[in-house]
Amino acid sequence: MTYLAPISTLNAEHYTADEHARYLEAVANAQTRAAHSYFDQHIIRMDDAQYWVADEGSYETLMQDLVDRIVMTIPAGRVDEF
């Protein structure tokens, strides 16, 4: 199951270069993981402006709080349907 979330509406004055660098690092991590995975990779923003990548297959169902924090989803690179 793929979750969709609205684009983050962060206030630009609170969005720092450090946070942007952390976001880009999470995107790169998610892209690398997705290329070798059957599961979508979700980039989740936490309250402390940190980002982490959740593999959709690692969790039964993401809690609604985490779903609301998804800022980007990288689709899985492998397909298991033939």
Side-chain angles (χ1 to χ4, degrees):
M1 175 181 293
T2 300
Y3 297 95
L4 301 176
I7 295 173
S8 177
T9 55
L10 297 172
N11 187 335
E13 67 187 41
H14 294 105
Y15 191 74
T16 66
D18 288 338
E19 182 175 351
H20 185 68
R22 288 189 296 270
Y23 171 74
L24 292 177
E25 184 178 337
V27 169
N29 184 2
Q31 289 173 329
T32 300
R33 291 172 58 171
H36 306 285
S37 178
Y38 293 103
F39 301 103
D40 293 344
Q41 306 294 312
H42 303 295
I43 300 170
I44 299 173
R45 183 182 187 274
M46 303 309 291
D47 287 334
D48 61 356
Q50 297 293 322
Y51 293 87
W52 63 280
V53 179
D55 186 315
E56 191 172 279
S58 298
Y59 306 94
E60 289 184 20
T61 302
L62 288 175
M63 295 180 293
Q64 187 60 44
D65 179 53
L66 293 179
V67 171
D68 293 340
R69 295 170 180 266
I70 294 173
V71 294
M72 184 177 193
T73 297
I74 307 293
R78 294 185 151 196
V79 178
D80 195 24
E81 298 175 10
F82 287 101

